[in-house]
Structure formats: structure tokens, C-alpha cells
Amino acid sequence: DAGVIQSPRHEVTEMGQEVTLRCKPISGHDYLFWYRQTMMRGLELLIYFNNNVPIDDSGMPEDRFSAKMPNASFSTLKIQPSEPRDSAVYFCASSLGGKGVTEAFFGQGTRLTVV
Amino acid sequence: GNSVTQMEGPVTLSEEAFLTINCTYTATGYPSLFWYVQYPGEGLQLLLKATKADDKGSNKGFEATYRKETTSFHLEKGSVQVSDSAVYFCALSGMDTGRRALTFGSGTRLQVQP
């Protein structure tokens, strides 16, 4: 398996523009997570899905952020309008549910710079 | 709610030195515990895990034991290498659907000098 695939790897955009980050989870995984990593705040959970349904979106900073999972193999995180303080590395991760807890597998991240 | 506390970094060691990175947690129920490692410019990789009290996770010479009585999961390695230089994250996860997301500590940067 190719692992969790995120695109793009790097994104530079101007303040006010819409940004869409994409994620393809590992096939068969039923949990998908979006995290944001900054020096100041570390790793923050933004939202996660189970079987394509959002379970907890309490970490989404504000209404400018939205996430969707239209099917089991694709998710997007959208920021509209973007602001310089959104600059961070955004990680997508997926895991397998069922009995017990299994580890989350992370993508390589999207480094977002808003200028 | 759940939380994880790690020792502040950076930790700077000479090659072949003994490593300990402390991690304590607060959680409801019986979480699973993890150590992840992040190399520069990369995503997080699972290093080891433990799913119940007294379990010992191990991988690549690293070990950590799930201590319920002290709510700790300290990471240890007997002899570090330069290639171990990275940021290490302690994390926990619950079993319920509503608590599946990993809660991470702040990370500890390890620098190993030749």
C-alpha cells in the first residue's frame, strides 16, 4: 500500500484566497484525521471522520475551515478565506477501527504558507 | 479531558549514551499509548505502542512500559545513534468511536552528536 497520500506537498497562497488540501487514506481504513502542526501550538486535531461521517470537529478553528469526506478514499480540508496565521503543516492520518485500538498512519503533510 | 505531558527539549546526547524521554498522561478509562517519531520534513511514524497496563512496547532498540499506577509511558534506549536525531511524540488514544483521535504531547527534540 502506498500509505496516506496528501496533496499538494507545498502550497503558497495570498491572504484571502481559497486553499484546498487533499488526502487519500489507506484503503480499508475507516477513520480519517486532520491535524495541524505549528511551532507555537504543536499538533492540534482539527476534525476526524469515521466511515465518512464527521465525529468531532471541535478543533476546527473557525468557520473559514471546512472538511469533507465524500467517500472512503478521499477527503478535503478547505480554508476560505485564508489568513497568514493559517500557515502551518497540515497532516492527514488514517486508522483501522474494530476491536482494540490501532495506530494512525500519517501522510507526509502539506506545508501551507499564506502571505 | 485527555492530555499528555512530555519533558521539554531539546535533549542533546553523545552517541551511545542512554536515552530517557519522560511522558505522563491524564485520561478517562484505559487508553492505548504510543510513541511517534518525526524526522525533518516528514510525517509522523509510529515507533512503538502499548495497549494495556504493564505492556512493554519495543522497536529499533527503543522501549516504553505502560505504567498505570504512575500514568507514565517513558521512552528509553540503551545506546543512541546519530540517526536517532528527530522529534519524539508521546500520544494516547481511547477505544470508543468518540475518543479515537490521538492526543499528542508537545514533542521532544533529540539531538545526538557523534
Side-chain angles (χ1 to χ4, degrees):
Chain A
D1 198 313
V4 176
I5 299 173
Q6 292 186 245
S7 64
R9 288 293 309 278
H10 303 274
E11 177 80 40
V12 180
T13 191
E14 291 185 347
M15 183 174 62
Q17 296 299 305
E18 177 181 296
V19 176
T20 300
L21 311 182
R22 296 173 174 81
C23 176
K24 176 178 168 54
I26 292 173
S27 176
H29 282 191
D30 53 352
Y31 283 85
L32 184 139
F33 309 88
W34 283 100
Y35 286 87
R36 178 171 69 176
Q37 185 178 36
T38 61
M39 290 292 292
M40 291 296 293
R41 301 170 72 95
L43 275 160
E44 303 173 276
L45 176 70
L46 300 177
I47 185 171
Y48 77 97
F49 297 83
N50 177 224
N51 291 322
N52 313 336
V53 176
I55 301 300
D56 182 356
D57 65 354
S58 60
M60 295 287 262
E62 47 199 275
D63 292 346
R64 298 185 297 106
F65 285 69
S66 63
K68 294 182 180 179
M69 192 165 186
N71 58 62
S73 58
F74 184 65
S75 177
T76 59
L77 178 68
K78 184 179 293 186
I79 308 172
Q80 165 64 12
S82 58
E83 297 182 3
R85 60 192 167 121
D86 302 330
S87 297
V89 181
Y90 291 80
F91 288 105
C92 176
S94 69
S95 71
L96 187 61
K99 290 186 178 180
V101 174
T102 60
E103 62 268 28
F105 292 82
F106 282 74
Q108 294 205 300
T110 295
R111 181 175 295 277
L112 173 65
T113 304
V114 183
V115 297
Chain B
N2 295 342
S3 68
V4 176
T5 302
Q6 286 182 239
M7 60 189 290
E8 293 276 336
V11 173
T12 303
L13 297 173
S14 298
E15 208 165 21
E16 299 184 1
F18 185 85
L19 168 71
T20 300
I21 300 178
N22 290 337
C23 171
T24 57
Y25 68 90
T26 302
T28 54
Y30 302 95
S32 291
L33 302 175
F34 305 85
W35 277 99
Y36 279 80
V37 59
Q38 185 178 31
Y39 298 101
E42 297 186 10
L44 280 75
Q45 303 173 24
L46 178 70
L47 181 59
L48 53 84
K49 68 177 180 181
T51 58
K52 61 182 186 296
D54 299 324
D55 265 3
K56 177 185 282 188
S58 61
N59 186 27
K60 299 181 181 179
F62 290 89
E63 293 184 340
T65 301
Y66 189 147
R67 302 286 188 200
K68 190 172 184 301
E69 63 276 14
T70 55
T71 62
S72 65
F73 193 55
H74 304 321
L75 182 68
E76 296 182 337
K77 187 176 185 182
S79 176
V80 294
Q81 305 299 313
V82 172
S83 57
D84 294 327
S85 298
V87 181
Y88 293 81
F89 292 91
C90 185
L92 65 82
S93 174
M95 290 194 52
D96 301 334
T97 298
R99 296 197 178 100
R100 283 282 180 150
L102 289 162
T103 298
F104 285 93
S106 56
T108 302
R109 182 175 299 277
L110 170 65
Q111 298 172 337
V112 181
Q113 298 176 337

